[in-house]
Amino acid sequence: MDKKDLRIVYMGTPEFAVESLRRLVEGGYQVVGVITMPDKPMGRHGSVLQSSPVKEYAVSKGLKVLQPERLKDEKFLEDLRALKADLQIVVAFRMLPEVVWGMPPMGTFNLHASLLPQYRGAAPINWAVINGDKETGVTTFFLKQEIDTGEIIDQVHVPIADTDNVEMVYNRLMRVGGDLVVKTVDAILSGKVTTIPQESLPVEGELRPAPKIFKETCRIDWTAGVKAVYDFIRGLSPYPAAWTELCQDENTPSMLKIFEAEKMFTPHNYAPGTVITDRKTYFRIASVGGFLNVLSLQLAGKKRMLVKDFLQGYRHAEGAFVR
C-alpha cells in the first residue's frame, strides 16, 4: 500500500500534537479525519468558544474534524467507522476505550513524550525536568487497555541540559516526535515493525510516574535543597510556573511565581525561605545547602519581570520571607 492510499485518523488536542499532524499532511499522507476535544468556553461569561490548536490546524487544511463529548457515544462511533481508517494515531489526547483503539485493521499507535516505561501519565516532560533527569525522549507504541503500557514500536533519546526549562524540552520533543510519527507510519506500511514489550526493557532504578499537575503540585518546598528547588522551578517554567508565598509577616502573604533562578551552593545559617537582597540587583532565597538567585518572577496582580525591575517597585523586600 502506498502512503497516499493509507487512510489515517489522527487524534490530538494541544500544540504538541500539531507538529506530528503537520508532518503527515505535508508529507502527502492521507489523513481522512481528525478527532479532538470539544471547543472550550472562554471569556468572562463563557460566551466565546476556543478551538484546540489541532482543530485550528485541521480546519486550515480542510480536514474533517470530529469533536465528541464522549468517546463511547454511538453517533461518534458510527462517524468514526464511516471514515474507514486503516490506522489511527494518537498524540496528546484522551484515554481511548477499546471500541475506538481496536477499530482499524492496522491498529492504533500513540506518541508519548518519554522513554517508556518511565513516566507513564499526563505530564512526562514536566516530571523528567523536575526530577533532574539528563535524558528523556519520545516513544511510539500500540495501544492496549492499560494506559501507556502497550508494546513499543520505536524510541528516540533526547538530552536534557541543566539549563533547560520545560518549554525548551517540550519544543525539542515536539519536533523529534513529528519525525518519529512519520518513521513509525512508514515502518507499519512496509510491514517491518517489530514491537517490544515494555516489561522486557531494562530500567535504571524505580519506574517514576508522571501524574497530572495541579496548582498545589507547583508550590515550592524550600526545604528540598538547592538543586531540587532549581529543577522544580525549571520543570514548571514558563507554565504553569512554580510558586511560593512572599510574606512580610504571617498575615500578609502574596503569591509569587518564579520562572528563572540560578543555584548557589553557598553555606549559610539562614532558615529555608529567608530572603536575602540588596533591594537593587539581587533577590536570593535560602534553601538547604545554599540559595536560589531569582532572575525572573511575577507577583500576584503584576506582569512577569526581571528581578531588578521587580525590586524597583517592591519596597518591602528587606525582612521578607517565602513559605
Side-chain angles (χ1 to χ4, degrees):
M1 183 187 295
D2 187 84
K3 69 179 182 180
K4 294 181 179 178
D5 300 320
L6 178 72
R7 297 178 65 85
I8 296 173
V9 165
Y10 188 88
M11 303 184 186
T13 295
E15 178 191 13
F16 188 87
V18 174
E19 178 66 14
S20 294
L21 177 58
R22 183 186 68 79
R23 291 291 306 278
L24 291 168
V25 171
E26 294 182 3
Y29 297 85
Q30 184 184 190
V31 179
V32 296
V34 173
I35 318 300
T36 191
M37 294 286 283
D39 296 351
K40 285 186 176 182
M42 302 291 287
R44 188 171 182 180
H45 302 290
S47 57
V48 178
L49 292 178
Q50 168 118 19
S51 300
S52 73
V54 162
K55 180 184 177 181
E56 290 180 355
Y57 177 82
V59 169
S60 75
K61 296 300 179 181
L63 302 176
K64 182 178 180 61
V65 177
L66 299 178
Q67 296 178 273
E69 292 281 353
R70 295 187 307 110
L71 295 176
K72 291 184 178 180
D73 180 80
E74 195 51 50
K75 176 62 168 65
F76 165 66
L77 293 175
E78 180 182 324
D79 291 341
L80 187 58
R81 291 189 192 99
L83 295 175
K84 298 180 180 178
D86 300 305
L87 177 69
Q88 291 177 158
I89 301 170
V90 182
V91 182
F93 193 54
R94 298 148 64 182
M95 184 175 179
L96 302 182
E98 185 173 359
V99 67
V100 173
W101 59 257
M103 195 177 291
M106 290 185 173
T108 299
F109 79 81
N110 178 252
L111 173 73
H112 188 73
S114 81
L115 295 173
L116 289 172
Q118 288 288 9
Y119 297 115
R120 293 169 177 157
I125 308 176
N126 296 92
W127 287 107
V129 180
I130 288 170
N131 288 331
D133 291 0
K134 295 182 179 179
E135 182 182 64
T136 184
V138 286
T139 302
T140 50
F141 66 97
F142 284 115
L143 290 189
K144 69 177 189 179
Q145 194 61 49
E146 297 79 15
I147 190 166
D148 296 337
T149 60
E151 294 199 350
I152 289 173
I153 304 169
D154 205 350
Q155 290 185 324
V156 177
H157 293 242
V158 175
I160 303 175
D162 185 60
T163 52
D164 284 341
N165 65 17
V166 73
E167 182 178 50
M168 297 171 185
V169 180
Y170 178 100
N171 290 335
R172 201 173 298 141
L173 293 181
M174 182 168 61
R175 293 190 297 270
V176 173
D179 294 338
L180 185 59
V181 164
V182 171
K183 180 184 176 185
T184 299
V185 173
D186 289 344
I188 291 171
L189 264 176
S190 67
K192 296 180 180 179
V193 168
T194 302
T195 58
I196 304 171
Q198 293 190 31
E199 298 75 20
S200 68
L201 292 176
V203 176
E204 291 185 15
E206 297 181 356
L207 289 181
R208 287 165 289 188
K212 187 175 181 178
I213 290 175
F214 298 95
K215 178 182 176 182
E216 196 55 38
T217 313
C218 302
R219 185 165 190 162
I220 300 170
D221 175 9
W222 295 101
T223 69
V226 173
K227 179 66 164 64
V229 175
Y230 171 78
D231 291 337
F232 188 79
I233 290 169
R234 64 193 185 97
L236 296 167
S237 179
Y239 183 83
W243 64 275
T244 189
E245 286 184 330
L246 179 62
C247 310
Q248 292 307 304
D249 54 54
E250 294 295 334
N251 300 315
T252 58
S254 182
M255 178 181 277
L256 181 72
K257 293 182 177 180
I258 299 177
F259 300 97
E260 295 176 275
E262 296 173 329
K263 51 188 184 298
M264 300 175 63
F265 296 104
T266 307
H268 64 79
N269 295 314
Y270 294 104
T274 302
V275 172
I276 307 297
T277 178
D278 63 356
R279 294 189 291 177
K280 293 180 180 179
T281 59
Y282 67 82
F283 187 82
R284 297 168 185 165
I285 301 174
S287 184
V288 176
F291 298 91
L292 278 300
N293 185 42
V294 179
L295 301 177
S296 67
L297 71 174
Q298 182 179 7
L299 196 61
K302 305 292 184 179
K303 64 180 182 179
R304 177 177 172 174
M305 62 185 72
L306 297 176
V307 75
K308 65 177 183 179
D309 298 322
F310 165 74
L311 290 172
Q312 285 179 0
Y314 187 70
R315 301 302 178 188
H316 308 289
E318 190 170 353
F321 64 94
V322 298
R323 64 183 185 190

